Every structure is written in structure tokens, then in C-alpha cells.
Amino acid sequence: MSRSGSLPWGRLRRVSAVVWSAAGSLAAWGWLLFCQGFFWRTDVRLPPSRDPDTWPSVCVVVPARDEAAVLPASLPSLLAQDYPGRAEVLLVDDGSTDGTGELAREIADRHGGLPLTVDFPGEPPAGWTGKLWAVRHGVGLARARGPEYLLLTDADIAHAPDGLRRLVAAARTGGFDVVSQMARLRVESLWERLVVPAFVYFFAQLYPFRRIGREGTRTAAAAGGCVLLRAEAAGRARIPDAIRQAVIDDVALARAVKRSGGRVWLGLADRVDSVRPYPRLRDLWHMVTRSAYAQLRHSPVLLAGTVAGLTLVYLVPPVAVTAGAVAGSGTTTVLGAAAWLVMAGTYAPMLRYYRQPLWLAPLLPFTAFLYLLMTVDSAVRHHRGHGAAWKGRTYARPDAVPDEG
């Protein structure tokens, strides 16, 4: 020590670096709290609406590949839609090997309700992901019926009986070309409780819902499990042909519609639920890694920036609290604790939305670290050129991986 009671110079420099990092993290959280579209609020639900004088016709397009395990819990909810206008369900069996199409017909025969058509598009040609090729086939079938709206929904999504009615009323009242609701994902296993609410929280941070629905903004996104799309807007934006290679197809769809002059709305759902289980960490890991690097446009620069950003925003606060306590630096501890407190406070509304205990909020840094590792793993898989496998279909090109539920 240079003077009695003083810290060694090297240790002092390390403490100073942690102090500045903690201050930077707190500043970042101040910006996120007030300047990122209030992403942390969960009150963006279907906007007020009124019933139209005449209910437009709707075709529900359901791409499905090996979905026999979830169809009994989801398809009856579509067939039971209480919709005053003309509506029918078009399920496109994308090469299933588990009898998905046959089971869908059995469910329709047993439950009745909206008419169901099951069709088989064949293998996708080069340049198409499987899901979007199935969607294209379904949209082609729908076009022959001349609907005003298309409801694009995944095979694992269960809808409330008045779900279609409310979507159409909201689209008509607000003049939206896309009305999308982010389905409430399942949160039953330990890993689902840790990872799933954070997944939606991070998505809202990237695509603040308030900005998406506001005219004059470039922010656009949708949630693939529940997308009501005006047929005329789909034609104008060349959906799905214009996004046939999209990894994150729902976001690409919303961007294409908005670029073509359409209006887009996205919010959280009250009674639209995913019935697909993700009981193990590796199931959730696969869900994230197949599209995480695509979100960064396969850019090493954006990857490095994302890792640095996740580290500063989510990992620095607990490290600063620990380092401050060890070094006896009250400033470091206070700055880290303040950033951690803001982080947990912004996460609490999402935990409440998912009906989870608030003691999970301080664990967000751990979950963010998992997402950091998943993102890096996604990049490693891409650059190794291994492609990606999804339900028995392997995509040789890493940039043609489907973003499928």
C-alpha cells in the first residue's frame, strides 16, 4: 500500500472500472425506463372496438407439421369460434408423419363447428421455408373463397370462443391491416417459469408495442401465433412470397405490410394461449437458438454489440453489488443495487401478467445470461454451417430456418 489504509493502485483501478460500469448500467436503465416506448408495461391489449354493421368473411390458415400432440387442445377452439360472419378453417399439413391431417378431420367430425378443409402442399421448393410454403398454399386456397381477412395462427394456439370476433372488430374499428396478439405461452415447468416471461419481456424491449401501433413509426412486429391480416393488404405486400426465406416470419410480415403503407397493431393476449410445452431447458434453448442470430441479421458486429449490451444492462448490476460489498465501496454497491432494482421493477409487470411470483424478478440477470449464451450458440451453429433441423426436416442453409412454433 502506498499509504496506510489506502487501496493498492491496481485494485483501485478495478473498483473504479466497476463503478463506471455500474453507473453506465444505471444510465442505460434510466433510458430504457422512459425512452423505449414504456416496453415494460403490459396494458397494451386489444383496443376498444365496435361491432361492424356487416361482418366480413374470414379464412383461418393453420400451417401444421407433426402437431398431433397439440391439436386436440387447440383445433376445437378454432372450430368453436362464435363468429357472426362467414368463416372456415384451412389446415395445411406440411408433410406430417404423425397423422396430423387425419387427426384434424377426426376432431372436426367429432366437434363440428366451422367447416374444416385439410390439404397437403407437398415439399417446399428451394428458397422457401416449410412453414411459409404451407402458409402460401393456405393463402392460395383462401383466395379462391375471396375472404376479406385471413387469420394466420399456429397449430398449438387455443383461442377463446369470441377471439375471432374481437380481432375483426378491432381491425375494422381501428383501420388496421394487421391485428396480432402475442399468445400467452405455457409456464408450468421450472424452466418455463424462468425463461418464458423473459422471452416476451425481451421481445417487447426490442419491439415496443406502443410504437408498433402508432402511425409514422418504423417499428413493426407481429406474433405468429395470432395474426389477423387483411387480404387486400396481404396482396399489396406480396405476403408470403416477399418473406419466403424469413427466419422470423411474423416480424417480417409486419414489416412488409407497414412498408407497403399498411397499419399494424400488436399487443398481449388475454385469452389466446399456446398449449405447446417446453418442459426442459434444451427445449427452450432450441426455441431461441434457431432464430436468435437471424434477429441480428447474421452480423458478427451486431452479435458483439448484443453481448456487450446484455452484459452492461443485465449482468453488471449484480456483479457491481457483489464487487462493492467485497471491496467496501458503497458507491459501487448503491449504483449496482439501483440498476438491479429498476431492472426487477420493469420485469414485475410481465411476471404478474404470467401469474408468476415476484421473487423471480431479481433472477432476471441469470435468465439474461442464459439468453446471452443461447445467442452466441445460435451464431456458432450458423458459422459452422450445420443448418438447422425442425421436426425431421433439415435446412442446409442457416439463413433459411423457419421460425415455427
Side-chain angles (χ1 to χ4, degrees):
M1 292 185 182
S2 56
R3 293 186 181 181
S4 177
S6 64
L7 290 173
W9 176 242
R11 187 178 177 189
L12 183 62
R13 290 178 61 185
R14 288 195 296 273
V15 171
S16 297
V18 176
V19 169
W20 282 109
S21 297
S25 181
L26 182 58
W29 275 110
W31 183 85
L32 288 169
L33 183 64
F34 297 110
C35 303
Q36 188 60 3
F38 295 99
F39 76 94
W40 44 272
R41 295 182 59 172
T42 56
D43 56 351
V44 181
R45 311 295 173 88
L46 275 180
S49 62
R50 60 183 181 276
D51 290 352
D53 295 332
T54 303
W55 289 91
S57 60
V58 181
C59 281
V60 182
V61 177
V62 186
R65 179 175 173 84
D66 291 339
E67 298 286 16
V70 297
L71 276 186
S74 60
L75 184 57
S77 73
L78 283 175
L79 301 174
Q81 286 299 300
D82 178 20
Y83 185 68
R86 180 168 60 88
E88 63 178 301
V89 180
L90 309 173
L91 187 140
V92 183
D93 187 333
D94 179 23
S96 298
T97 60
D98 66 350
T100 289
E102 293 77 8
L103 177 60
R105 291 193 179 104
E106 292 174 10
I107 292 172
D109 291 340
R110 187 163 60 249
H111 288 270
L114 297 183
L116 171 73
T117 298
V118 177
D119 211 340
F120 304 84
E123 285 296 304
W128 282 84
T129 65
K131 177 181 177 180
L132 286 172
W133 178 246
V135 169
R136 186 182 193 274
H137 189 76
V139 170
L141 294 174
R143 191 174 292 120
R145 277 91 165 160
E148 187 172 339
Y149 288 95
L150 304 166
L151 175 60
L152 310 180
T153 184
D154 291 336
D156 66 315
I157 303 298
H159 299 257
D162 62 346
L164 182 56
R165 175 200 290 258
R166 296 180 67 217
L167 285 169
V168 171
R172 276 294 188 87
T173 303
F176 295 108
D177 297 286
V178 171
V179 173
S180 178
Q181 290 184 287
M182 177 161 284
R184 200 188 304 256
L185 305 177
R186 200 186 87 141
V187 282
E188 295 183 13
S189 71
L190 171 64
W191 289 112
E192 287 171 337
R193 292 171 186 270
L194 281 172
V195 175
V196 166
F199 176 81
V200 181
Y201 173 87
F202 294 143
F203 184 92
Q205 192 175 91
L206 287 173
Y207 306 102
F209 296 161
R210 280 174 169 75
R211 290 183 182 172
I212 292 169
R214 191 182 306 154
E215 290 190 79
T217 65
R218 297 179 60 185
T219 306
C226 179
V227 180
L228 184 76
L229 172 63
R230 195 158 63 92
E232 188 276 332
R236 187 176 64 239
R238 296 179 52 248
I239 301 295
D241 296 61
I243 61 171
R244 61 186 178 275
Q245 289 186 334
V247 174
I248 309 174
D249 51 82
D250 42 14
V251 173
L253 181 151
R255 285 175 176 166
V257 170
K258 205 162 191 178
R259 279 198 302 264
S260 66
R263 295 188 61 201
V264 177
W265 184 93
L266 171 64
L268 293 172
D270 289 315
R271 293 183 296 162
V272 180
D273 300 289
S274 172
V275 299
R276 189 183 305 282
Y278 292 97
R280 299 163 299 184
L281 177 59
R282 70 177 182 180
D283 301 318
L284 291 157
W285 195 284
H286 178 63
M287 178 187 75
V288 174
T289 56
R290 70 185 178 205
S291 61
Y293 197 42
Q295 180 69 54
L296 303 177
R297 292 175 286 182
H298 303 123
S299 166
V301 174
L302 290 179
L303 174 65
T306 298
V307 170
L310 286 171
T311 300
L312 175 67
V313 173
Y314 291 100
L315 305 187
V316 163
V319 170
V321 170
T322 304
V326 170
S329 171
T331 301
T332 304
T333 303
V334 168
L335 288 172
W340 201 350
L341 182 63
V342 175
M343 180 199 314
T346 63
Y347 190 39
M350 188 61 69
L351 289 173
R352 282 196 293 266
Y353 170 74
Y354 270 97
R355 307 181 186 98
Q356 298 303 303
L358 294 184
W359 60 261
L360 288 172
L363 300 182
L364 186 57
F366 171 73
T367 306
F369 180 63
L370 289 179
Y371 273 93
L372 186 154
L373 296 178
M374 293 175 195
T375 302
V376 172
D377 186 37
S378 179
V380 170
R381 291 169 185 253
H382 173 89
H383 288 293
R384 284 180 176 174
H386 291 165
W390 182 78
K391 294 185 178 179
R393 178 184 283 146
T394 300
Y395 292 82
R397 291 179 52 188
D399 61 344
V401 184
D403 179 31
E404 301 174 271

